[in-house]
Amino acid sequence: MKKVIFVCHGSICRSPAAEMIFRNEIKKAHRENEFEVTSMALSNEEIGNGIYPPMRNCLYSFGIPMVQHVSRRLTQKDLDDCDYLFYMDDSNKRILSYLINDIDNKCKPVFYYTPHILEIEDPWYSDRYDLVVKELTECIKDILLKI
């Protein structure tokens, strides 16, 4: 079973959205038994919090089912144990580079296989939750074609 982690700053918007979309896509493709998936934070700011309500509402509006999510910070053990780690933007990559010597070996931007998307913006600041869900869905479909 492949272990997949999605990370973002606080793990209340983008990374849990990516996790829920990933879960939905693997279920539709009957590939649930191939993956263990989770999402985590790179900061301590939102530890213990669930999905931010505007993101949760947006996911519901797209018909994406959710499982319980509580933000927790990524640990070295998580990094060691995962097969794939996907981050959302250059800020996430910079934080990860402090934790991992060879960041490009295990960690990729979630848009790695979707070259026309250059980052997944943080909807906490932009309020563009719909755009983030649409872009993440496209990226995750492309990821599933490759892994």
Side-chain angles (χ1 to χ4, degrees):
M1 184 170 290
K2 298 173 189 166
K3 293 184 180 183
V4 178
I5 299 174
F6 293 98
V7 296
C8 68
H9 184 75
S11 192
I12 61 167
C13 288
R14 295 174 293 175
S15 65
E19 175 189 349
M20 302 311 155
I21 294 165
F22 191 90
R23 288 176 182 277
N24 190 47
E25 292 298 319
I26 61 174
K27 184 175 183 177
K28 289 191 308 190
H30 306 288
R31 296 180 65 190
E32 302 103 320
N33 294 333
E34 295 178 36
F35 300 98
E36 179 182 317
V37 60
T38 192
S39 54
M40 297 178 194
L42 294 171
S43 76
N44 289 326
E45 294 169 38
E46 298 290 345
I47 301 306
N49 292 331
I51 299 175
Y52 188 54
M55 178 55 81
R56 186 179 59 240
N57 294 340
C58 185
L59 290 166
Y60 277 133
S61 76
F62 278 87
I64 298 166
M66 284 175 257
V67 298
Q68 179 69 27
H69 171 77
V70 176
S71 177
R72 75 174 184 86
R73 188 159 185 193
L74 180 74
T75 67
Q76 186 62 52
K77 180 169 179 8
D78 297 320
L79 286 168
D80 294 342
D81 291 347
C82 78
D83 297 298
Y84 301 97
L85 185 142
F86 294 101
Y87 58 87
M88 305 294 153
D89 60 27
D90 284 341
S91 175
N92 297 161
K93 182 179 182 179
R94 185 175 54 256
I95 293 167
L96 285 165
S97 72
Y98 300 137
L99 305 172
I100 305 170
N101 290 333
D102 185 15
I103 186 170
D104 294 323
N105 186 34
K106 187 179 276 194
C107 303
K108 302 271 186 264
V110 71
F111 46 86
Y112 184 78
Y113 300 110
T114 312
H116 68 278
I117 297 176
L118 303 177
E119 79 168 3
I120 302 297
E121 68 182 50
D122 192 339
W124 174 268
Y125 301 105
S126 71
D127 203 36
R128 298 192 315 176
Y129 296 91
D130 285 2
L131 174 66
V132 168
V133 170
K134 288 176 186 174
E135 288 182 341
L136 283 171
T137 300
E138 184 176 355
C139 293
I140 286 163
K141 287 179 179 182
D142 290 342
I143 288 169
L144 286 169
L145 292 173
K146 300 292 184 178
I147 66 171

